[in-house]
Every structure is written in structure tokens, then in C-alpha cells.
Amino acid sequence: MKLRDAPSACPSLWRSLPCPPAELRLDLVLSSGQTFRWWESSPGAWTGVLGERVWTLRQERDRLWYTVYGEEGAGRPAQASEPEGAETDQILRDYFQLDVGLPALYRAWGAADPLFRKVAGDFPGVRVLRQDPVECLLSFICTSNNHISRITTMIERLCQAFGRRLCCLDARPMHAFPSLSALTGADAEAQLRALGFGYRAKFVSGSARAIAEGLGAEGLHRLRTVPYAEARRVLCALPGVGTKVADCVCLMALDKAEAVPVDTHVWRIARQRYGAALGGRSLTPRAHQEIGDFFRGLWGPRAGWAQAVLFCADLRKGQEPASSRDRDRRSQGQDSRRHSPA
């Protein structure tokens, strides 16, 4: 199937939502390490997998345009598929959390924090995605001591090896994210190691198995309704999940807007840019909590959203955050002791 990169190509196969750049910037949100399943398929067009469907998104002025590709059937190629109106509109509204008004939040964060105000003017429209909890969790397990381009490649390999094929766009096969059952087979860990996952292989397969045999995918989704501290506690009991990964999942999949993922980069920001005397000489669980509490006190109940703006700004300015490059081994002691790499 041919990739459609603009509404001018087959207009009947595109729909749009009102969405000005101050509310959403696709180029900033989809490339900043929240998700690893989208790529810029042509200038200004982003193609990826969401909800077991393949989409291309594009922003033009105050509209968010999208097209959805049909799924391949048994023995037949994918067919062109018209967007299904209200259903697909709602999928995008939910994924981008478009019910949250972003300009008002930017104004509030800027009023409380002059450093935020100085940075944010160049980075409008950065919002937190609302992702599938299973996909978000297993993806962020892969982020330890890693960088965005390599994580993206790993997730692509994971989906190709274990996920259901959805369609083929311009000779590029597109796959759904794997089900838990696909990742709990006896040889799953060995397959992941062969795909280059290294020590993360046992954590991905181990967490998939722990969820499948424990609370299940539905139980993981239900963590959206429990308090933040409880959700983080449950996540940290899974193989390969430390406080940072748990906070990423809480923020980006479990509706915990107050979650502030803390790594060595955020720790340095708190100490150097904000003059906060937080934590000791290493990034302990207590330091995680103190730093998160500091930013929650500064930015309010959506502190994790404010941090996402600064994370994106640093990434774009070439100061790659510590979560996206090899980290200081000493500061990783807490997680490595709990989940020693194989």
C-alpha cells in the first residue's frame, strides 16, 4: 500500500480535528522520547502505530489531519480505509489528551517559574501522551542506559518479531505491539537477546510474564484509578522497573500527571538551575521523592507535564538528557542493585 503523506492525496481518506500549534506540536511530541513508534515519513507527516492501527498525521495551520490504513487480511493486501469518524477522532483526542488546555498551563508554569518561562516560548505545544500501559511499560524497560534512536530500533525489532502484521506501507511492514502472551513463551528471552536487547531481554520477558500471571493487562490499566504512590509501588515490583521507569509509566500511561521522572539530568537541573539542595551524593529513592516533591511544589498537580517541556527543550538544544545516553554508573546503583544486569 502506498503511504499517504498529505490530505491532497485522496482527500476522502483524511479527516481533521481543530488543534492549533499552541495545543500540540507533532514534531516536538512524537520525537522527544515519550513514544518510539512514530517516524517522520515525509516533511511534516508522521506515521506510526496506535491502537493496532497504522496512521499518518499532519498539522496544517490550526488543524490536525489524519488518515488510517486498512489492515491486511488473510492472503489479501490491505485496502484503503476511510477514517471511521467519531471513533478515530476520539482515539486521537485520548492519545494526545486534547481535553487538557495547554496554553493556560504554560502561563501558570511560567508565572511560578521564570526559568520555565524563559525556555517555553520556543517550545509550544509539548504535551504528555496517554499510551497503552503494557506498551509503555515494556518500551521504557528498554530505555535503561540507552538513547532514543537505539530504543526506537529495538522496539521496531520487538514488534516485527512478536507483533501481528498490520499492513505494508511502501514496502515497509507495520506491526502491532506484541501481546503479553507473545512475550511469555519459553524462548522469548533468547529471541530478545538475539535481537540485541542484551540484559534487558530478561526484564522485558520477565515483566510480561509477571503481568500475565499476576494482575493482567486489565489490572495494569486499572492502576489509572489508584493513587500515584500505589501505582508506582506496584510497578516497582516488576522485573527491571526502578523508580524512574515507574514514574515514566505513571505519567505517560496511568494518568498520574504529578509524576516527575527523575534521573541524573533532572537531579542536576534541580541542584544547578534551581539551587535546590536535594538528595545526598547519589540518586537514592529518598532523593527521587525529594526532587519530585520539589517540582510538584513549584509546578503544581501537572508537574510531569511541565518537566516534559523542559526535557524536550534540552533534547532539541543538544543537551541530551541522561535518560537518553549512558548514565552515571554510581547514580544507577539503586536500580542495578535491585535488578542486576545479566
Side-chain angles (χ1 to χ4, degrees), residues 2-188:
K2 185 172 177 56
L3 190 146
R4 302 185 286 272
D5 61 2
S8 57
C10 304
S12 65
L13 300 180
W14 289 78
R15 283 179 59 86
S16 70
L17 300 171
C19 189
E23 291 286 3
L24 172 66
R25 281 274 303 274
L26 289 177
D27 59 321
L28 298 180
V29 173
L30 297 180
S31 65
S32 61
Q34 290 191 53
T35 176
F36 308 99
R37 308 244 33 218
W38 297 88
W39 86 98
E40 193 171 17
S41 48
S42 66
W46 293 83
T47 298
V49 179
L50 167 62
E52 298 197 343
R53 306 185 198 198
V54 181
W55 309 64
T56 293
L57 312 178
R58 173 180 284 278
Q59 283 184 282
E60 292 186 359
R61 295 181 292 278
D62 288 346
R63 308 292 299 185
L64 171 61
W65 289 88
Y66 70 89
T67 185
V68 183
Y69 300 89
E71 188 174 340
E72 293 178 349
R76 61 175 176 78
Q79 302 296 314
S81 173
E82 292 191 23
E84 298 169 17
E87 179 192 357
T88 47
D89 284 2
Q90 185 54 42
I91 290 172
L92 285 186
R93 289 183 186 280
D94 182 72
Y95 183 63
F96 289 111
Q97 305 199 70
L98 294 179
D99 59 324
V100 177
L102 205 52
L105 288 174
Y106 269 58
R107 288 191 296 271
W109 296 327
D113 179 4
L115 290 178
F116 180 93
R117 184 168 62 250
K118 181 178 179 180
V119 169
D122 294 329
F123 297 92
V126 177
R127 57 176 54 244
V128 171
L129 301 174
R130 189 177 196 242
Q131 302 179 58
D132 174 76
V134 171
E135 178 173 344
C136 186
L137 170 65
L138 298 181
S139 296
F140 273 91
I141 287 175
C142 299
T143 64
S144 174
N145 299 320
N146 217 338
H147 55 82
I148 290 174
S149 61
R150 183 164 181 256
I151 299 162
T152 301
T153 298
M154 290 171 65
I155 299 302
E156 182 72 9
R157 291 174 181 168
L158 176 76
C159 294
Q160 289 178 352
F162 295 93
R164 180 168 56 86
R165 178 164 164 152
L166 299 174
C167 67
C168 192
L169 294 181
D170 290 350
R172 177 172 178 158
M174 306 293 294
H175 294 78
F177 196 84
S179 64
L180 288 173
S181 60
L183 293 169
T184 56
D187 61 345

Side-chain angles (χ1 to χ4, degrees), residues 253-297:
L254 298 180
D255 298 342
K256 315 305 180 198
E258 71 270 37
V260 177
V262 175
D263 56 18
T264 55
H265 180 76
V266 175
W267 185 30
R268 285 195 298 270
I269 286 176
R271 295 165 68 95
Q272 296 173 9
R273 298 187 193 175
Y274 290 89
L278 299 169
R281 301 177 65 179
S282 62
L283 196 49
T284 63
R286 179 179 175 180
H288 272 271
Q289 188 65 43
E290 289 180 352
I291 295 166
D293 288 345
F294 170 79
F295 284 118
R296 282 184 282 273

Side-chain angles (χ1 to χ4, degrees), residues 182-328:
L183 293 169
T184 56
D187 61 345
E189 181 181 337
Q191 287 183 264
L192 290 167
R193 287 186 181 277
L195 292 172
F197 278 63
Y199 68 86
R200 305 172 192 87
K202 73 172 183 178
F203 295 148
V204 171
S205 61
S207 278
R209 185 174 300 106
I211 296 167
E213 296 175 354
L215 70 168
E218 299 82 4
L220 197 61
H221 277 78
R222 284 195 295 272
L223 292 180
R224 288 175 170 173
T225 66
V226 307
Y228 162 48
E230 172 65 10
R232 185 167 67 171
R233 184 191 65 78
V234 172
L235 293 173
C236 285
L238 295 170
V241 179
T243 307
K244 166 66 187 302
V245 169
D247 276 338
C248 287
V249 179
C250 282
L251 176 63
M252 301 172 200
L254 298 180
D255 298 342
K256 315 305 180 198
E258 71 270 37
V260 177
V262 175
D263 56 18
T264 55
H265 180 76
V266 175
W267 185 30
R268 285 195 298 270
I269 286 176
R271 295 165 68 95
Q272 296 173 9
R273 298 187 193 175
Y274 290 89
L278 299 169
R281 301 177 65 179
S282 62
L283 196 49
T284 63
R286 179 179 175 180
H288 272 271
Q289 188 65 43
E290 289 180 352
I291 295 166
D293 288 345
F294 170 79
F295 284 118
R296 282 184 282 273
L298 179 64
W299 293 325
R302 289 193 178 272
W305 285 54
Q307 189 215 14
V309 178
L310 299 187
F311 184 100
C312 179
D314 278 356
L315 194 64
R316 284 297 181 116
K317 291 177 179 178
Q319 302 168 12
E320 189 172 356
S323 60
S324 301
R325 58 162 61 155
D326 290 342
R327 302 206 181 107
D328 184 323

